């Protein structure tokens, strides 16, 4: 068998196809050009299948890409359209004259029912090769089957409905066993649930459809020749497997709802359109005697699923008595009618025939038309030939129909990916709204079109629809690209002018108050729009001029805030004496430069609030830049107002810990002027270290002197370490203050004595108070009675000094006795030291022959050694090796020098002819020098035990291995 998928036979079939030409719609003012480079393919594209059947085709069904056809009397051909080159042929195995009457294939393509004209029914599963007879179905001529799309699987149909030619509706279930495929009868049960009747009695059940709505509600649609029945009912959750008997039982006593039409041509057929796989159908088309009943399916309705019904009569060239329709197929926007020699496609929107395809006589009469709902392909066959239609871009011209019906929303939905068509729809909608005086809606649509801007604007101006014009401009502005800066500027400026005019008109009419507020809000939204921000900012000068020309200061301020032109806002408030508002703007936006600029004005009127705002700004403000405002303010203000300046300066000094000299100097000047009590506490808190004082000492001294603050001057003198000046000034104020100054130079006793003598002279000569002068002697240990006596006049009697002189003599005696005692103690100490030295010279220690060096662990007596009081013993060379690296550099150099000298003294003399006396003298001098060198070496090397002395303590943080030799040592261990 040849491949089912083959090329079109264009030259043979397209000559017979009639496609209605579509009228071109001009776009006189559009920016789009509708240029199509290729010829557009038809919506319904026919393809003849390259297949020559060996016998005539009796019946054909397709579902889920599975095609089954009955050939001749006893042959069944199954084809998986995904593998068209692998057809499967099955023999029915009938020996009698039975013929295939109809075939039914479920939605999965797995279950095939074959109805015979002998009132028998056969079953074939996709996975098997053997056809089985359904014994329970015998005696019934099957007309229709309602498949269960919700419970059906590849091995089980679930409860299904079967319609017969006698008007009976049966419920049945077919199941294929997993183990041995047909070990039992496939038909599980077959029971009657209802009988459909017309006026004349029972009528054949032409079609059956089962759909499930919301909340477990089921809708069953059944049709006869003239009636369309609906059975509605709920199947309890969990009992769906038990079938639909409960739904039919609800209508046992009365007829269900139905639609009836008078005419009939002996049968009817219903088709459904399902947009997506495994979804519910959305629309239906019922072909019957009076035409095609078309409508949508609304699953939310309680009693009837059918909605928006209308009947499309058959085209005028169809005479149901001669060439009545055979089959119907429904797509999204069309239903196709199969006639004996042609196919007609009718649009469901307007009932017009949009497609007609006439078949040649050589193919024979058309027999059947069906649609595969999963791939949306339409199949037609005669007894000899099979055709297939592809539906391509069915919605391409639907927009035009909706537009002509004034259903603009639907029209836009179906041309949203075709801008040239969308522009036509929008223009038509805009014109429609304009003619119906819906000017705002018209403006919104016009703004989305490519029509000439000037024409539309003049149209609204001529109609005196300023509000609609504004709406048009706003929408047009929102659609502009960022690169279209000129257009954006023009529209923005024009809109601003229109808003201001409109607000001016509404403001003077009290009856339009609500409209005025609404328009004002829209204007402010327009000004604050982020999209318009850059344009408004670049043209803010023009906007300011427009606002000023209309005298709209309110919106001028509002616009300035949006533009963050807070300087203009604050200046406006200050000009209108709205100082609190100006300060609120400054506080809200916290701009330091604006604070510096406007603080001199604001502090004159609201000083406390201004200072509070400064404090809230904290360290963001540089107090030095605010000093001019404070100086100008303090010169013309009262003491109470100056306190605000002091409060801010104190905040800077104590809270912000400012160190700028200008700030501290200004605070000092304020203290000196208004708060003398705080002046001294500030100076004392600043400390006495000149390096840590942030005010100018000389400026502070001059300032305090000008205002007569002597205590403060004394303190500054003390800080400057001018103690004589401090004492001289303190004596003018308080003697006790002078005394505290006199004790300050602790390291200079001569100066202290001099200062105290000044105090004593002042007390004696100025105050003439002998007792107080004597008290000075007790306050300073450096003063003696003899130092003070010259200051007293000659007529002063000795009685005034008797006690002081006696005390002085007693002190001298005590000092002499103390010196004697110290001399005796020194003599005794020297004597004990001499005894200890003598004892040390005679001190010795015993060394056993087996003793070993504490460093090298070799016998000690083999080489010169040292014995320490702690008991450790070292060879000379071992001790030298341990001590030398830890000696200071200068001691290392000295030790090396002594070793060289010692080596030089140990060399024998080269002269062998010297006199004896001379040699003796030289030897004696050399021996004495050698002993001295060795003693010096001992003092360095053996000053202390290397294990018990300070050397061991100082080396506790040194590593055991020299860092420079660490790598070498580590490699030696590997």
């Amino acid at each position: 068998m040849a491949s089912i998928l083959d090329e079109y036979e264009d030259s043979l079939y397209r000559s017979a196809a009639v496609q209605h030409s579509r009228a071109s719609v001009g776009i006189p003012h559009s920016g789009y050009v509708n240029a199509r480079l290729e010829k557009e393919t038809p919506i319904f594209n026919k393809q003849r299948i390259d297949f020559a059947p060996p016998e005539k085709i009796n019946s054909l069904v397709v579902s889920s890409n599975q095609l089954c056809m009955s050939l001749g009397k006893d042959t069944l051909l199954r084809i998986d359209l995904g593998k068209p080159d692998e057809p499967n042929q099955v023999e029915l195995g009938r020996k009698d004259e039975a013929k295939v009457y109809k075939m039914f294939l479920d939605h999965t393509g797995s279950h095939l029912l074959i109805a015979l004209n002998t009132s028998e029914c056969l079953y074939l599963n996709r996975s098997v090769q053997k056809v089985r007879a359904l014994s329970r179905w015998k005696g019934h001529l099957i007309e229709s089957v309602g498949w269960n799309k919700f419970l059906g699987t590849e091995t089980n149909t679930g409860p299904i409905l079967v319609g017969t030619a006698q008007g009976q509706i049966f419920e049945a279930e077919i199941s294929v066993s997993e183990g041995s495929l047909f070990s039992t009868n496939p038909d599980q049960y077959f029971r009657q649930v209802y009988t459909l009747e017309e006026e004349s009695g029972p009528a054949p059940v032409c079609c059956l459809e089962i759909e499930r709505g919301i909340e477990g509600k089921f809708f069953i649609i059944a049709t006869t020749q003239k009636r369309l029945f609906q059975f509605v009912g709920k199947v309890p959750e969990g009992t769906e497997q038990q079938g639909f008997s409960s739904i039919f039982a609800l209508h046992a006593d009365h007829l269900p709802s139905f639609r009836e039409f008078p005419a009939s041509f002996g049968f009817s057929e219903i088709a459904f359109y399902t947009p997506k796989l495994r979804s519910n159908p959305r629309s239906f088309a019922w072909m019957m005697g009076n035409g095609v009943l078309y409508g949508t399916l609304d699953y939310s309705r309680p009693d009837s699923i059918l909605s928006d019904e209308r009947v499309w009569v058959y085209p005028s060239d169809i005479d149901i008595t001669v060439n009545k329709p055979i089959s119907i197929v429904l797509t999204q926007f069309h239903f196709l009618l199969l006639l004996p020699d042609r196919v007609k496609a009718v649009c469901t929107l307007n009932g017009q025939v949009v497609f007609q395809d006439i078949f040649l006589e050589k193919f024979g009469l058309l027999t059947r038309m069906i649609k595969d709902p999963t791939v949306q392909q339409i199949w037609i066959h005669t007894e000899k030939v099979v055709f297939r239609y592809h539906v391509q871009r069915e919605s391409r011209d639907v927009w035009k129909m909706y537009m002509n019906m004034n259903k603009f929303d639907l029209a836009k939905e179906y041309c949203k990916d075709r801008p040239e068509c969308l522009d036509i729809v929008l223009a038509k909608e805009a014109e429609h709204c304009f003619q119906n005086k819906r000017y705002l809606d018209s403006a919104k649509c016009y703004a989305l079109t490519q029509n000439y801007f000037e024409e539309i604007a003049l149209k609204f101006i001529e109609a005196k629809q300023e509000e609609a014009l504004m709406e048009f401009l706003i929408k047009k502005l929102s659609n502009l690209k960022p690169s279209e800066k000129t257009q954006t500027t023009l529209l923005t400026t024009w809109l601003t002018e229109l808003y201001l005019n409109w607000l001016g008109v509404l403001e003077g009419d009290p009856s339009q108050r609500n409209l005025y507020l609404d328009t004002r809000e829209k204007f402010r939204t327009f000004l604050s729009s982020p999209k318009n921000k850059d344009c408004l900012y670049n043209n803010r000068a023009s906007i300011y001029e427009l606002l000023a020309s209309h005298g709209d200061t309110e919106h001028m301020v509002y616009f300035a805030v949006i533009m963050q032109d807070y300087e203009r806002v604050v200046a406006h408030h200050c000009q209108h004496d709205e100082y609190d508002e100006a300060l609120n703007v400054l506080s809200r936006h916290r701009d330091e430069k604006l604070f510096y600029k406007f603080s001199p004005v604001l502090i004159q009127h609201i000083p406390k609030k201004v200072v509070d705002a400064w404090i809230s700004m904290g360290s963001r403000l540089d107090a030095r830049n605010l000093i001019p405002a404070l100086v100008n303010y303090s010169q013309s203000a009262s003491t109470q107002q100056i306190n605000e300046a002091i409060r801010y300066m104190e905040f800077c000094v104590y809270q912000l810990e400012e160190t700028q000299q200008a700030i501290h100097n200004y605070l000092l000047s304020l203290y000196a002027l208004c708060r003398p009590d705080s002046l001294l506490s500030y100076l004392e808190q600043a400390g006495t270290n000149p390096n840590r004082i942030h005010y100018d000492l000389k400026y502070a001294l001059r300032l305090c002197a000008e205002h007569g603050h002597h205590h403060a001057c004394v303190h500054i003198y003390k800080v400057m370490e001018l103690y004589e000046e401090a004492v001289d000034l303190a004596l003018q104020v308080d003697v006790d203050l002078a005394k505290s100054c006199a004790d300050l130079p602790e390291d200079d006793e001569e100066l202290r004595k001099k200062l105290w003598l000044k105090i004593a002279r002042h007390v004696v000569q100025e105050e003439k108070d002998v007792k107080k002068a004597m008290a000075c002697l007790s306050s300073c240990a450096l003063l003696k009675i003899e130092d003070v006596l010259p200051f007293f006049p000659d007529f002063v009697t000795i009685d005034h000094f008797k006690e002081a002189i006696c005390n002085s003599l007693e002190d001298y005696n005590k000092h002499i006795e103390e010196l004697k005692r110290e001399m005796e103690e020194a003599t005794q100490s020297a004597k004990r030291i001499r005894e200890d030295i003598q004892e040390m010279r005679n001190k010795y220690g015993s060394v056993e022959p087996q003793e070993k060096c504490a460093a090298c662990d070799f016998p000690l007596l083999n080489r010169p050694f040292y014995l320490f009081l702690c008991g450790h013993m070292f060879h000379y060379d071992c001790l030298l090796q341990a001590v030398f690296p830890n000696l200071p550099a200068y001691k290392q150099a000295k030790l090396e020098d002594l070793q060289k000298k010692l080596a030089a003294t140990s060399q024998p003399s080269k002269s062998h002819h010297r006199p004896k006396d001379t040699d003796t003298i030289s030897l004696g001098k050399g021996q004495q020098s050698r002993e001295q060198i060795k003693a010096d070496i001992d003092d360095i090397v053996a000053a202390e035990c290397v294990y018990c002395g300070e050397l061991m303590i100082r080396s506790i943080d040194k590593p055991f291995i020299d860092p420079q030799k660490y790598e070498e040592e580590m490699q030696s261990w590997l």
Side-chain angles (χ1 to χ4, degrees):
M1 175 182 172
S3 173
I4 287 183
L5 300 176
D6 202 0
E7 298 180 354
Y8 297 108
E9 296 184 359
D10 296 335
S11 60
L12 183 62
Y13 301 110
R14 287 190 178 176
S15 60
V18 178
Q19 181 81 27
H20 286 275
S21 62
R22 292 171 294 202
S24 60
V25 180
I27 311 176
H29 305 300
S30 174
Y32 293 105
V33 178
N34 190 5
R36 297 181 179 179
L37 301 180
E38 297 180 359
K39 185 179 179 181
E40 197 172 68
T41 59
I43 296 175
F44 302 100
N45 216 331
K46 184 174 69 175
Q47 175 187 11
R48 179 186 174 183
I49 304 304
D50 184 15
F51 168 63
E55 298 180 77
K56 69 175 183 178
I57 302 173
N58 299 323
S59 182
L60 183 146
V61 289
V62 181
S63 182
S64 294
N65 238 12
Q66 302 294 319
L67 183 145
C68 300
M69 67 173 68
S70 171
L71 301 176
K73 174 185 175 183
D74 199 49
T75 303
L76 188 67
L77 188 64
R78 297 186 297 181
I79 302 172
D80 184 350
L81 297 179
K83 304 174 183 177
D85 297 328
E86 301 176 7
N88 177 254
Q89 185 170 320
V90 178
E91 299 298 329
L92 298 182
R94 303 288 296 189
K95 303 299 182 183
D96 53 12
E97 295 301 323
K99 296 181 180 180
V100 174
Y101 175 63
K102 285 186 178 181
M103 293 198 304
F104 308 94
L105 187 62
D106 79 320
H107 62 286
T108 65
S110 301
H111 306 282
L112 177 66
L113 291 174
I114 307 165
L116 304 178
N117 59 356
T118 57
S119 297
E120 294 179 87
C121 192
L122 306 179
Y123 171 74
L124 180 63
N125 190 276
R126 185 170 63 181
S127 60
V128 298
Q129 289 289 107
K130 186 177 180 180
V131 178
R132 289 298 302 260
L134 302 177
S135 58
R136 293 186 175 91
W137 298 39
K138 191 172 183 180
H140 300 284
L141 182 62
I142 307 302
E143 288 285 350
S144 58
V145 175
W147 296 104
N148 194 325
K149 294 177 287 189
F150 317 105
L151 298 178
T153 63
E154 294 182 359
T155 59
N156 189 289
T157 62
I160 61 175
L161 297 177
V162 180
T164 68
Q166 293 77 31
Q168 300 163 316
I169 298 178
F170 290 86
E171 185 179 75
E173 183 176 0
I174 301 174
S175 178
V176 179
S177 176
E178 292 284 344
S180 56
L181 194 55
F182 284 112
S183 58
T184 59
N185 291 332
D187 48 338
Q188 301 297 310
Y189 62 88
F190 189 76
R191 56 175 176 260
Q192 184 176 349
V193 292
Y194 202 80
T195 300
L196 295 183
E197 295 183 356
E198 292 182 351
E199 294 177 354
S200 59
V205 182
C206 298
C207 297
L208 282 171
E209 181 73 13
I210 304 171
E211 296 297 338
R212 182 169 61 184
I214 58 177
E215 299 179 354
K217 184 180 292 186
F218 281 84
F219 297 87
I220 299 173
I221 298 176
T223 66
T224 61
Q225 297 173 7
K226 298 193 296 182
R227 290 183 177 181
L228 187 151
F229 295 87
Q230 292 185 75
F231 299 88
V232 182
K234 285 188 177 181
V235 176
E237 187 176 355
T239 63
E240 293 89 345
Q241 200 67 39
Q242 298 178 9
F244 307 101
S245 302
S246 60
I247 298 176
F248 288 100
L250 298 174
H251 305 280
D253 299 331
H254 58 88
L255 286 175
S257 62
F258 64 90
R259 294 292 307 274
E260 184 175 13
F261 293 89
S264 171
F265 45 58
F267 65 93
S268 70
E269 185 175 349
I270 191 168
F272 295 90
Y273 168 70
T274 304
K276 296 180 181 178
L277 187 63
R278 296 186 182 87
S279 64
N280 290 331
R282 290 290 179 266
S283 57
F284 74 97
W286 180 37
M287 182 185 71
M288 40 73 182
N290 290 84
V292 176
L293 177 65
Y294 174 79
T296 59
L297 301 178
D298 186 355
Y299 296 91
S300 62
R301 300 181 66 181
D303 299 325
S304 175
I305 194 175
L306 308 182
S307 176
D308 299 331
E309 304 169 47
R310 66 182 304 174
V311 177
W312 295 114
V313 297
Y314 296 117
S316 58
D317 59 343
I318 296 179
D319 185 358
I320 63 173
T321 61
V322 179
N323 57 342
K324 58 185 177 184
I326 302 171
S327 294
I328 187 171
V329 163
L330 181 63
T331 62
Q332 185 176 6
F333 296 105
H334 303 85
F335 59 83
L336 279 72
L337 295 174
L338 181 68
L339 300 171
D341 63 342
R342 68 192 63 192
V343 174
K344 286 180 178 288
V346 179
C347 179
T348 58
L349 299 178
N350 55 16
Q352 299 297 316
V353 177
V354 298
F355 173 81
Q356 181 173 272
D357 194 0
I358 302 175
F359 290 76
L360 299 179
E361 293 182 2
K362 69 174 185 177
F363 299 129
L365 297 177
L366 301 178
T367 306
R368 177 87 171 151
M369 177 173 61
I370 55 175
K371 186 180 74 169
D372 186 349
T374 58
V375 293
Q376 303 295 328
Q377 290 179 348
I378 300 170
W379 296 78
I380 298 176
H381 73 92
T382 68
E383 292 182 350
K384 303 176 182 179
V385 187
V386 178
F387 298 93
R388 178 172 59 187
Y389 281 95
H390 292 271
V391 182
Q392 297 181 342
R393 296 180 59 237
E394 184 182 4
S395 62
R396 67 183 71 171
D397 293 326
V398 170
W399 63 271
K400 194 183 303 180
M401 300 176 189
Y402 279 128
M403 180 184 70
N404 295 330
M405 298 164 62
N406 292 335
K407 295 182 178 181
F408 300 109
D409 290 338
L410 290 173
K412 288 183 284 188
E413 179 67 25
Y414 287 103
C415 65
K416 58 185 178 182
D417 56 342
R418 299 171 65 183
E420 73 281 1
C421 301
L422 181 61
D423 189 70
I424 298 172
V425 175
L426 289 170
K428 181 70 178 295
E429 182 182 7
E431 185 64 28
H432 175 77
C433 293
F434 192 91
Q435 292 175 358
N436 288 276
K437 297 185 178 181
R438 293 163 48 201
Y439 297 110
L440 288 177
D441 294 335
S442 176
K444 293 176 182 178
C445 294
Y446 270 131
L448 299 175
T449 68
Q450 297 296 317
N451 291 23
Y452 291 136
F453 173 84
E454 298 84 350
E455 289 186 4
I456 300 171
L458 288 172
K459 195 171 187 177
F460 287 114
I461 293 173
E462 290 172 358
K464 297 181 180 180
Q465 295 296 323
E466 189 170 335
E467 187 178 1
L469 176 61
M470 291 167 59
E471 185 68 28
F472 169 69
L473 296 178
I474 290 172
K475 293 296 182 182
K476 205 69 178 176
L477 178 62
S478 64
N479 294 329
L480 290 178
K481 299 177 182 178
S483 58
E484 298 173 321
K485 295 183 179 180
T486 303
Q487 294 90 327
T488 303
T489 302
L490 291 173
L491 290 180
T492 303
T493 309
W494 193 2
L495 275 169
T496 303
E497 176 69 21
L498 289 175
Y499 268 121
L500 291 173
N501 288 335
W502 187 238
L503 287 172
V505 172
L506 295 176
E507 189 176 11
D509 189 352
S511 61
Q512 299 290 333
R513 179 63 179 172
N514 292 333
L515 181 58
Y516 168 76
L517 295 176
D518 183 57
T519 306
R520 186 183 67 174
E521 187 62 30
K522 289 181 180 179
F523 182 43
R524 293 186 174 184
T525 304
F526 166 74
L527 292 176
S528 59
S529 172
K531 188 173 182 179
N532 303 332
K533 183 177 181 180
D534 291 340
C535 177
L536 290 171
Y537 183 81
N538 295 331
N539 300 278
R540 60 188 183 278
S542 300
I543 303 298
Y544 281 132
E545 290 178 3
L546 284 174
L547 292 167
S549 65
H550 285 267
D552 194 342
T553 57
E554 178 185 1
H555 284 104
M556 182 182 290
V557 173
Y558 182 83
F559 180 69
V561 172
I562 294 173
M563 294 294 103
Q564 297 183 355
D565 189 0
Y566 302 118
E567 181 176 353
R568 185 184 294 268
V569 177
V570 176
H572 169 80
H573 288 309
C574 290
Q575 289 171 3
H576 292 79
D577 296 336
E578 298 171 352
Y579 302 109
D580 289 333
E581 290 296 328
L583 184 59
N584 288 337
V585 173
L586 291 176
S587 302
R588 186 162 55 248
H589 300 287
R590 306 173 74 84
D591 189 333
E592 299 88 349
K593 294 181 180 178
L594 295 182
F595 267 103
Y596 300 147
K597 182 173 183 178
F598 291 100
S599 289
V601 176
L602 295 176
I603 200 169
Q604 299 291 336
H605 301 88
I606 47 173
K608 185 178 185 305
K609 293 181 179 180
V610 171
V611 171
D612 290 338
W614 290 350
I615 292 175
S616 66
M617 288 288 289
S619 58
R620 294 183 59 178
L621 290 179
D622 188 348
R624 292 178 301 174
N625 296 330
L626 297 173
I627 289 178
L630 292 171
V631 170
N632 183 40
Y633 168 68
S634 60
Q635 289 177 350
S636 59
S638 63
T639 304
Q640 183 177 1
Q641 292 173 324
I642 293 177
N643 288 336
E644 295 299 329
I646 295 175
R647 180 162 70 95
Y648 180 66
M649 289 291 103
E650 288 178 339
F651 169 77
C652 295
V653 170
Y654 298 124
Q655 300 296 325
L656 301 182
E657 298 181 355
E658 286 283 356
T659 58
Q660 296 295 330
Q661 191 177 76
I663 297 173
H664 286 264
N665 288 346
Y666 183 59
L667 180 60
L668 266 175
S669 67
L670 294 176
Y671 279 150
L673 182 63
C674 298
R675 289 191 187 176
D677 297 338
S678 301
L679 175 62
L680 186 59
S681 61
Y682 165 77
L683 295 174
E684 292 175 349
Q685 188 173 355
T688 58
N689 187 347
N691 297 325
R692 295 184 179 180
I693 289 176
H694 304 301
Y695 57 85
D696 187 343
L697 289 169
K698 295 180 180 179
Y699 171 77
L701 182 61
R702 183 173 68 253
L703 190 67
C704 295
E706 289 177 357
H707 291 84
H709 302 310
H710 298 302
H711 280 85
C713 292
V714 171
H715 178 82
I716 296 171
Y717 278 134
K718 291 192 294 184
V719 175
M720 298 172 70
E721 297 183 356
L722 300 174
Y723 301 115
E724 291 190 42
E725 291 81 352
V727 170
D728 291 340
L729 183 59
L731 289 175
Q732 300 177 18
V733 179
D734 185 10
V735 175
D736 293 333
L737 179 60
K739 290 180 180 180
S740 64
C741 297
D743 284 330
L744 291 177
E746 298 177 352
D747 299 332
D748 192 345
E749 292 187 355
E750 182 179 354
L751 179 58
R752 284 176 60 199
K753 185 175 182 180
K754 182 178 180 181
L755 297 177
W756 277 101
L757 286 174
K758 283 189 174 187
I759 296 172
R761 175 181 294 175
H762 174 80
V763 170
V764 174
Q765 295 179 354
E766 300 295 334
E767 298 185 3
K768 298 180 180 180
D769 190 341
V770 178
K771 292 183 178 180
K772 189 178 289 188
M774 293 300 101
C776 291
L777 295 178
S778 61
S779 300
C780 181
L782 299 177
L783 290 182
K784 303 300 179 184
I785 186 63
E786 56 270 25
D787 298 326
V788 180
L789 285 176
F791 302 146
F792 289 94
D794 296 338
F795 56 82
V796 177
T797 59
I798 192 84
D799 293 340
H800 294 90
F801 311 109
K802 181 178 180 181
E803 184 177 355
I805 293 172
C806 292
N807 291 336
S808 178
L809 292 175
E810 289 178 0
D811 289 340
Y812 280 129
N813 288 333
K814 290 179 181 179
H815 184 60
I816 292 170
E817 292 298 329
E818 186 176 350
L819 290 175
K820 287 181 179 180
R821 185 168 60 255
E822 290 178 357
M823 291 175 62
E824 290 177 358
E825 290 176 356
T827 303
Q828 293 295 327
S829 177
K831 182 178 179 181
R832 285 195 297 272
I833 290 172
R834 284 194 295 270
E835 291 175 356
D836 291 341
I837 292 172
Q838 187 63 35
E839 184 177 356
M840 288 297 295
R841 287 178 179 174
N842 298 328
K843 195 170 184 179
Y844 65 93
S846 60
V847 179
E848 299 295 333
Q850 65 273 17
E851 293 290 348
K852 296 182 179 181
C853 174
C856 65
D857 205 30
F858 280 93
L860 186 68
L861 300 179
N862 289 350
R863 301 196 300 274
F865 63 90
Y866 289 99
L867 171 63
F868 291 96
L869 295 177
C870 60
H872 288 112
M873 294 168 280
F874 302 91
H875 289 128
Y876 166 75
D877 54 342
C878 293
L879 183 62
L880 179 64
Q881 185 178 2
V883 171
F884 186 80
N886 297 288
L887 291 175
Y890 75 94
K891 283 193 177 184
Q892 290 180 356
K894 182 178 180 181
L895 183 59
E896 290 176 351
D897 184 56
L898 290 173
Q899 287 179 329
K900 290 179 182 178
K901 290 181 179 179
L902 182 62
T905 57
S906 63
Q907 293 179 357
S909 177
K910 295 181 180 180
S911 176
H912 298 285
H913 304 286
R914 291 180 181 176
K916 183 177 179 181
D917 294 342
T918 304
D919 292 344
T920 304
I921 295 170
S922 298
L923 182 61
K925 290 181 180 179
Q927 187 69 24
Q928 184 179 3
S929 177
R930 180 182 176 82
E931 290 299 328
Q932 183 62 39
I933 292 171
K934 291 177 66 177
D936 291 342
I937 292 174
D938 290 344
D939 289 341
I940 296 173
V941 176
E944 59 182 358
C945 175
V946 72
Y947 286 171
C948 301
E950 293 183 3
L951 181 63
M952 180 59 68
I953 297 173
R954 288 197 303 269
S955 64
I956 193 170
D957 60 340
K958 293 184 179 180
F960 292 108
I961 301 174
D962 188 351
Q964 298 179 354
K965 300 180 180 180
Y966 180 80
E967 292 294 334
E968 180 182 351
E969 186 69 21
M970 186 175 65
Q971 292 296 330
S972 67
W973 282 80
L974 298 177

